[in-house]
């Protein structure tokens, strides 16, 4: 059987966009204004960090300088020796900068969620509006990054099945795409390191949910 | 035997069932021992066991083993060792993390499935690795036919010991043990 990657059309993407807005608005309503504002600020910081020209390059310079200082204090600079020491003590090398910035982006957004979970719940309606804005921003940032095709060849997929994407049944496919998209995006950035990262995440989440 | 990836998927599904029945707190105990076994095998076993095997053959005065025979022995040895560790982690008085896991609700379901998938991936993936790294000794026993499918070729690049450095396993064991003793 000829395996064809399944594609996802613009209509599904638009529906997904509105579904996400709805989810974020509901979440904003539940969490309140302060939590959503904190999230909005950190999404903004994360976005700025992910853009080299805005704050990304500065962040990398700060991290590399701090690393070089620590490395020097530990005697590593002398061991590395001479003129090339600065280059060798770069924690984030230029070829890895886009991966590092993307990870920083994700970490800051995660931080936004962690901070917002600890803030007082008040002003649900205003929270809903800011939540809507957060949903819009995150959709704006992440939806264009979604792969146009489901990142795996599903067994049994064919041209006939691909035709489903033009029908409401394609929404199910979009669901699969959304579930796999974070892994796909992460895989594009960190390659096989996605495996240890996923293992750590599963173990940490499970440990956090064990009641003493 | 059918495609290797089908067997692999079946093993993973079984581990998901185990996790659904036992709960993720108990399954994390199994995960801890799997991490420990993986660390021992990848950090020390693969380095020293082949050398010890050669030494034993030399000491016993036997004829030198052919490379293929060595691959058979090493594959069986590591697979058995790993299966025994996994079996021991389920049998009798088991190693579990302190505390109670959520027993109902969607969060518990998702966590059980996630930890089951993780254990299944680690067990099935590691057993597959012992075949892959030693050039599929089971082919000689007519239990598998090569070549692998395209999917299996791709999946084989993601087997746990290929994509995770040995010290990572040690770090995870330490993390889980610290969690167990913190109270």
């Amino acid at each position: 059987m000829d395996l064809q990657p399944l594609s996802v059309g613009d209509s599904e993407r638009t529906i997904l966009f509105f579904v996400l807005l709805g989810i974020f608005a509901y979440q904003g309503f539940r969490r309140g204004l302060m939590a959503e504002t904190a999230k909005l600020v950190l999404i903004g910081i994360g976005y700025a960090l992910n853009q080299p020209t805005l704050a990304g390059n500065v962040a990398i310079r700060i991290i590399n300088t701090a690393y070089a200082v620590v490395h020097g204090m530990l005697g590593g600079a002398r061991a590395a020796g001479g003129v090339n020491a600065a280059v060798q003590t770069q924690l984030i090398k230029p070829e890895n900068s886009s991966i590092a910035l993307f990870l920083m982006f994700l970490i800051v957004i995660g931080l936004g969620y962690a901070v917002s979970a600890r803030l007082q719940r008040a002003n649900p309606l205003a929270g809903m509006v800011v939540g809507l804005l957060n949903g819009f921003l995150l959709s704006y940032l992440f939806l264009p990054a979604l792969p146009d095709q489901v990142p795996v060849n599903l067994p049994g997929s064919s041209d006939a099945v691909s035709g489903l994407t033009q029908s409401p049944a394609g929404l199910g496919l979009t669901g699969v795409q959304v579930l796999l998209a974070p892994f796909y995006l992460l895989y594009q950035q960190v390659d096989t390191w996605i495996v240890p990262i996923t293992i750590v995440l599963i173990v940490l989440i499970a440990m956090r949910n064990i009641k003493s | 035997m059918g495609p290797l990836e089908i067997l692999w998927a079946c093993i993973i599904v079984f581990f998901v069932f185990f996790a659904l029945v036992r709960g993720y707190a108990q399954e994390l105990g199994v995960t801890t021992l799997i991490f420990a076994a993986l660390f021992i095998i990848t950090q020390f076993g693969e380095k020293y066991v082949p050398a010890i095997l050669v030494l034993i053959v030399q000491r016993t005065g036997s004829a030198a083993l052919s490379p293929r025979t060595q691959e058979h022995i090493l594959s069986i040895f590591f697979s058995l060792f790993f299966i025994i560790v996994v079996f021991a982690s389920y049998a009798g008085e088991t190693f579990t993390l302190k505390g109670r896991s959520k027993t109902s609700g969607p969060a518990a379901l998702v966590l059980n499935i996630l930890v089951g998938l993780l254990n299944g991936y680690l067990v099935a993936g590691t057993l597959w690795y012992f075949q892959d790294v030693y050039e599929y000794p089971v082919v000689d026993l007519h239990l598998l036919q090569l070549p692998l499918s395209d999917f299996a070729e791709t999946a084989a690049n993601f087997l746990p010991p290929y994509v995770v450095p040995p010290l990572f396993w040690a770090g995870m064991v330490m993390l889980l043990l610290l969690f167990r003793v913190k109270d």
Side-chain angles (χ1 to χ4, degrees):
Chain A
M1 190 185 309
D2 188 24
L3 294 179
Q4 300 283 330
L6 301 179
S7 63
V8 174
D10 288 340
S11 54
E12 286 85 14
R13 212 178 279 264
T14 310
I15 292 169
L16 177 66
F17 173 68
F18 284 108
V19 169
L20 282 176
L21 285 190
I23 292 171
F24 277 93
Y26 174 70
Q27 201 180 35
F29 182 77
R30 293 282 308 272
R31 292 197 165 171
L33 179 63
M34 284 299 289
E36 289 304 309
T37 308
K39 207 191 296 179
L40 178 66
V41 169
L42 282 161
I43 290 172
I45 293 172
Y47 175 74
L49 282 175
N50 196 32
Q51 304 297 316
T53 49
L54 279 178
N57 287 338
V58 177
I60 288 178
R61 267 205 301 276
I62 291 170
I63 292 171
N64 279 340
T65 308
Y67 180 75
V69 168
V70 173
H71 199 258
M73 283 165 64
L74 295 173
R78 264 179 282 122
V83 181
N84 292 326
V87 177
Q88 288 178 7
T89 53
Q90 279 183 341
L91 181 64
I92 303 170
K93 296 191 168 50
E95 61 269 26
N96 297 329
S97 62
S98 63
I99 296 173
L101 291 178
F102 182 72
L103 283 177
M104 275 194 267
F105 176 47
L106 292 182
I107 289 168
V108 171
I109 288 179
L111 193 66
Y113 274 81
V115 169
S116 70
R118 283 167 172 74
L119 291 174
Q120 198 180 4
R121 293 172 189 178
N123 294 327
L125 283 178
M128 187 177 80
V129 174
V130 182
L132 202 65
L133 185 60
N134 284 339
F136 178 79
L137 279 177
L138 286 177
S139 307
Y140 176 77
L141 294 174
F142 281 109
L143 281 185
L146 282 182
D148 287 334
Q149 295 174 330
V150 176
V152 290
N153 285 336
L154 298 178
S157 61
S158 64
D159 288 341
V161 179
S162 295
L164 287 175
T165 58
Q166 303 307 317
S167 71
L171 277 179
L173 182 63
T174 312
V176 174
Q177 186 204 28
V178 171
L179 283 174
L180 293 176
F183 291 97
Y184 181 70
L185 291 174
L186 201 56
Y187 174 65
Q188 280 185 326
Q189 299 293 330
V190 299
D191 203 37
T192 51
W193 276 97
I194 190 174
V195 176
I197 290 171
T198 310
I199 292 174
V200 170
L201 284 178
I202 292 175
V203 170
L204 288 179
I205 291 169
M207 279 165 55
R208 200 170 178 276
N209 281 281
I210 293 177
K211 299 170 195 164
S212 55
Chain B
M1 195 169 75
L4 192 57
E5 62 269 29
I6 302 290
L7 179 68
W8 191 67
C10 288
I11 294 176
I12 291 178
V13 170
F14 272 117
F15 275 89
V16 172
F17 287 151
F18 295 160
L20 286 172
V21 172
R22 286 163 45 93
Y24 58 86
Q26 281 190 301
E27 285 299 291
L28 275 182
V30 175
T31 313
T32 311
L33 291 179
I34 292 174
F35 286 152
L38 277 165
F39 173 65
I40 291 167
I41 290 170
T42 53
Q43 179 70 27
F44 304 110
E46 290 184 324
K47 198 169 167 186
Y48 295 112
V49 172
I52 291 169
L53 180 67
V54 171
L55 199 68
I56 289 171
V57 171
Q58 283 174 352
R59 288 287 167 93
T60 54
S62 312
L65 298 173
S66 70
R68 190 59 178 161
T69 309
Q70 281 188 35
E71 285 172 346
H72 271 275
I73 294 171
L74 292 172
S75 159
I76 291 170
F77 175 81
F78 286 126
S79 298
L80 275 179
F81 172 77
F82 189 68
I83 288 169
I84 288 168
V85 170
V86 174
F87 178 76
S89 67
Y90 277 104
E93 193 72 22
T94 55
F95 175 85
T96 53
L97 297 187
K98 279 183 183 171
R100 290 179 296 114
S101 55
K102 292 174 182 167
T103 50
S104 60
L109 180 72
V110 171
L111 283 169
N112 288 339
I113 291 174
L114 279 179
V115 176
L117 283 172
L118 173 61
N119 282 352
Y121 162 72
L122 292 174
V123 172
T126 305
L127 291 176
W128 185 345
Y129 167 80
F130 294 137
Q131 290 300 312
D132 193 68
V133 78
Y134 294 115
E135 309 284 339
Y136 293 94
V138 287
V139 170
D140 300 344
L141 307 173
H142 306 291
L143 293 172
L144 174 73
Q145 284 186 336
L146 294 179
L148 298 175
S149 67
D150 290 343
F151 175 77
E153 287 283 1
T154 309
N157 294 322
F158 291 88
L159 301 176
Y162 281 140
V163 291
V164 179
L167 281 178
F168 172 85
W169 306 122
M172 292 306 292
V173 172
M174 213 153 65
L175 179 73
L176 284 158
L177 288 179
L178 282 174
F179 181 78
R180 190 172 194 270
V181 299
K182 81 177 163 62
D183 290 325

